[in-house]
Amino acid sequence: MQFFLSFSSLPCIEIDLSPFNFLGYSLFIKREDLLHPYVSGNKFRKLKYNFLEAQEKNHKTLLTFGGAFSNHIAAVAAAGKECGLKTIGIIRGEELEKKISENPTLSFAKDCGMQLHFISREAYRAKDEAEFIHDLKMQFGDFYLLPEGGTNALAVKGCEEILYEKENIFDYICVPVGTGGTMAGLVKASNEKQKVLGFSALKGTFQSSEITKYTSKTNFEITDAYCFGGYGKIDLDLIRFINEFKRKTKIPLDPVYTGKMMYGIFDLLKKGHFKENSRIFAIHTGGLQGIAGMNQKLKKKNLPIIE
């Protein structure tokens, strides 16, 4: 598992806010997306200790769950290939089985050697039940189980490593939120003078209950005001923002997670939400592989694409 142990520290880049007409604030972004071309951002962090655990317990196969354009599925497949482990992906939606070649995420996972198994959305809802897991073991044999999205105690441990001690100078730590595992790690690693602000990629702030499983700290808040209607949903405003941000900063953003977070940060700056002279630290959690799939959808709707 040398793959997970051989990477250097990542750049923390200050964003020049003058082209966006914001004064009196400092905004930095940590380019976690640069960790690895395919196992990037928080997925690398979440998988690190799980893969090491799987190795320690002599597992040869990892099984996990995800949807059509899942960053998690793509990352597990790529990491499995790098580490010489067999991977199995339980995919939500039987209709996708005949469309693998049309789907950039699933075709990538298959090319990495992942065995894809498609089930109905109804059956998928039982993915956390003991009987369902037992049936999977009867079908596929022994495996190391990774939950959908990758969040568990080992994933949170990995996400704690996003923050270095020198980054305790920041007043706000901003992060996109899916299952809540990445944010839980950041809250655990933060100091109590820092405010950790999570931007939910989907409707609701239910992830708070997940975070409290792993830490007693309360210096965090989650907003779903910038979820754009739900998971994987975007509109013209978000597309324009992502493209403008890339033109002005040379930093690409994904439309499902980091793009929504950064849009939210800039809107909160406009509204004066942050204290004057605040130092804001944003985490780029990767997920850029999802742009190709999103652009497929946008083209079908005759909408502008993400550049």
Side-chain angles (χ1 to χ4, degrees):
M1 298 295 169
Q2 190 61 29
F3 168 69
F4 282 103
L5 302 174
S6 57
F7 71 95
S8 57
S9 60
L10 291 161
C12 178
I13 300 167
E14 184 168 11
I15 303 296
D16 181 6
L17 292 175
S18 59
F20 301 97
N21 299 314
F22 292 120
L23 300 173
Y25 302 95
S26 299
L27 174 61
F28 291 78
I29 186 167
K30 187 156 191 181
R31 297 291 307 274
E32 289 282 296
D33 60 303
L34 299 177
L35 270 170
H36 186 270
Y38 308 115
V39 193
S40 71
N42 63 335
K43 298 308 177 189
F44 183 100
R45 304 292 189 175
K46 286 183 173 184
L47 294 179
K48 176 181 175 180
Y49 289 108
N50 276 289
F51 267 66
L52 293 172
E53 177 83 352
Q55 179 190 41
E56 188 175 317
K57 293 186 175 179
N58 295 315
H59 287 283
K60 306 299 182 186
T61 302
L62 290 94
L63 181 143
T64 195
F65 308 88
F69 299 101
S70 167
N71 292 326
H72 175 67
I73 287 291
V76 171
K81 182 180 179 180
E82 291 273 5
C83 298
L85 292 175
K86 181 181 177 182
T87 55
I88 300 169
I90 308 300
I91 308 300
R92 181 180 64 249
E94 291 172 303
E95 74 283 358
L96 296 170
E97 187 167 8
K98 297 178 181 179
K99 300 178 180 178
I100 295 174
S101 62
E102 302 170 23
N103 182 301
T105 301
L106 297 179
S107 58
F108 171 79
K110 184 179 179 182
D111 289 345
C112 286
M114 177 175 272
Q115 180 182 346
L116 301 175
H117 179 69
F118 298 84
I119 62 174
S120 69
R121 284 165 170 75
E122 182 180 0
Y124 192 85
R125 295 189 191 102
K127 67 185 183 302
D128 299 321
E129 295 179 9
E131 184 178 351
F132 184 73
I133 301 300
H134 172 75
D135 289 344
L136 289 176
K137 289 192 173 181
M138 294 296 292
Q139 183 173 358
F140 296 109
D142 183 53
F143 54 75
Y144 182 90
L145 180 66
L146 282 167
E148 182 182 38
T151 290
N152 58 18
L154 291 172
V156 172
K157 178 182 177 181
C159 289
E160 288 182 60
E161 295 177 354
I162 294 172
L163 283 185
Y164 294 106
E165 188 175 340
K166 64 182 180 181
E167 290 158 355
N168 280 338
I169 63 168
F170 295 105
D171 303 299
Y172 296 92
I173 299 166
C174 299
V175 63
V177 182
T179 57
T182 304
M183 188 170 181
L186 291 169
V187 172
K188 285 190 75 175
S190 69
N191 67 57
E192 294 186 1
K193 292 181 180 178
Q194 294 176 306
K195 180 69 172 284
V196 184
L197 184 55
F199 293 81
S200 182
L202 56 165
K203 286 183 179 179
T205 58
F206 57 90
Q207 302 96 331
S208 293
S209 60
E210 185 71 12
I211 292 166
T212 56
K213 291 179 185 177
Y214 300 105
T215 178
S216 59
K217 291 182 181 178
T218 59
N219 59 325
F220 70 90
E221 177 185 347
I222 301 175
T223 176
D224 66 351
Y226 303 100
C227 72
F228 287 83
Y231 183 77
K233 295 184 179 181
I234 64 173
D235 65 14
L236 284 172
D237 280 345
L238 184 58
I239 297 168
R240 290 191 194 103
F241 173 81
I242 288 171
N243 289 338
E244 179 190 14
F245 187 87
K246 185 178 179 181
R247 286 194 295 269
K248 289 181 177 178
T249 68
K250 310 300 182 189
I251 299 173
L253 303 174
D254 85 286
V256 178
Y257 292 101
T258 306
K260 292 181 177 182
M261 173 198 69
M262 198 59 68
Y263 184 101
I265 291 171
F266 275 56
D267 189 59
L268 292 176
L269 283 168
K270 287 178 192 174
K271 293 175 177 176
H273 175 85
F274 299 105
K275 295 176 183 177
E276 196 172 350
N277 297 317
S278 291
R279 292 162 295 186
I280 304 162
F281 186 58
I283 312 297
H284 193 316
T285 56
L288 298 177
Q289 67 86 27
I291 291 175
M294 183 62 73
N295 280 343
Q296 282 185 348
K297 293 182 178 181
L298 295 173
K299 286 176 182 177
K300 288 178 181 177
K301 295 179 181 179
N302 293 315
L303 292 170
I305 65 168
I306 296 164
E307 297 168 0

